[in-house]
Amino acid sequence: MRATITFNDIEEYISCPRKYFLQPPEEELFKSFEQNTRNLLNLNFSVENPVISINFHEKTLISDPDLIIPDKNGWKIVLKKTAKNFKEKYLLEAAFHGYVFSNAGFPVTEVIVTSEFFTQKIDWKNSLPLLFSTLEQMAKIQPTEPPQPKPCELCKNCQYVFDCTKDLIQKQDLLAIHGISDKTKEKLAKCGIFSLSDLLNFKEKCSKHFDEKLVKKALSLLQEKPIILTPYKKLEPGVFVDIEFNSLKHFDFLFGILQDDKYTPYLCKDENEEKEVFKELLDLFLKLNCPIYHYGPYEPKRFQQLAYKYKEFLPMYERVKKNFFDLYQFLCKHVALPLFTYSLKSVARYFGFTATTQLDSSKANRYFQRWLLTKDDHYLSVLLKYNEEDLRSTKLVFERLNFLVDQDVTSQQP
Ligand code: SF4
């Protein structure tokens, strides 16, 4: 068990114990903020992104909720979310923050979980038994070998994807196949297919449910090389876009563009700058009139939302929207890779990209908040680097898709 525990660590442990045990702890962000938080709380101020720690059975528990506000008999903690519905896991999170702040001398009267769609008050004390039993489980497991891979949401940003893929392939586990559902596994089991090698005889075992794509995906994993699933034409040159969203303040704080290999960040320090940046980008895209490559559904969705928010730009957006091109969808449809997750970071790494920043979207958000609070440009430069690296990764996927189609004779067929 690590010497320090944040709620992110607990979430990580619950989602994938393997990752929790493999990954070194992240401590550097907290220490410098704790004294500042204590000073402000002692003056009875509300504090955004407060940080407080306490000792707990020879460990340090570090709490960093979104907001703390003075309340008549103590303090109210606010946890801001982007989810549409309240989730059970917020109870554990409320217990963690409530417990740490109360034991640090700032008694918490209630924890409020809020998003655009709901607000719920939580009596954090009700979930203390669950919190203590989770911490106890975390303390007990001391594996000589890391726990088994457990494909989950965390995999998409996890640096252990290659090791876990190898581990699953070695065990011939069907979970190594990208996107395989429990329903498909059940169907395969009924056909007597339980392993990757079994899948190679799919047609003989079960011609009725035969799925050629699954066989190609198994082959790609076993042979450790990309395999074309369906033929496609070479992609045209274009521009690349990647947006970073501020979940706390609900606006996009960074629109990164990669054009002719030149990175340009469009930064919004607050929501008031969003409209101007949006217009600048629409002007640029109209002028270029070329494919706008992105990875995943977020970018076109946000452009659509912004066009409805700033309605005067709807006609411009209507002309631009046809040019958005999702490389993730395209990759999934046309190419099998020897990976169980096709997240941008994993795919780019597989194609040879080495990232220098270790952020993900939630850490990027924290860096943005820290930059706004401290004006320390170190946070901003890491953020920009992270955004640029995502764009360069997207470009690399584009280039590799074109390289693969050049190599593959089947794609030349009509
Ligand atoms: S890649 Fe996925 S399964 Fe492997 S350690 Fe990371 S989160 Fe866990």
Side-chain angles (χ1 to χ4, degrees), residues 154-170:
L154 296 182
C155 298
K156 63 182 183 198
N157 289 314
C158 181
Q159 71 265 45
Y160 304 112
V161 164
F162 293 169
D163 290 343
C164 295
T165 304
K166 265 194 199 143
D167 203 283
L168 290 172
I169 294 173
Q170 223 166 33

Side-chain angles (χ1 to χ4, degrees), residues 184 187-188 191 193 198-219:
T184 307
K187 208 159 69 178
L188 292 173
C191 300
I193 296 169
D198 287 346
L199 257 179
L200 303 184
N201 303 315
F202 196 167
K203 206 166 197 171
E204 295 81 69
K205 282 181 179 273
C206 186
S207 58
K208 193 173 149 212
H209 295 299
F210 179 62
D211 180 342
E212 197 187 353
K213 276 192 176 180
L214 276 183
V215 179
K216 285 185 175 177
K217 285 182 170 188
L219 255 182

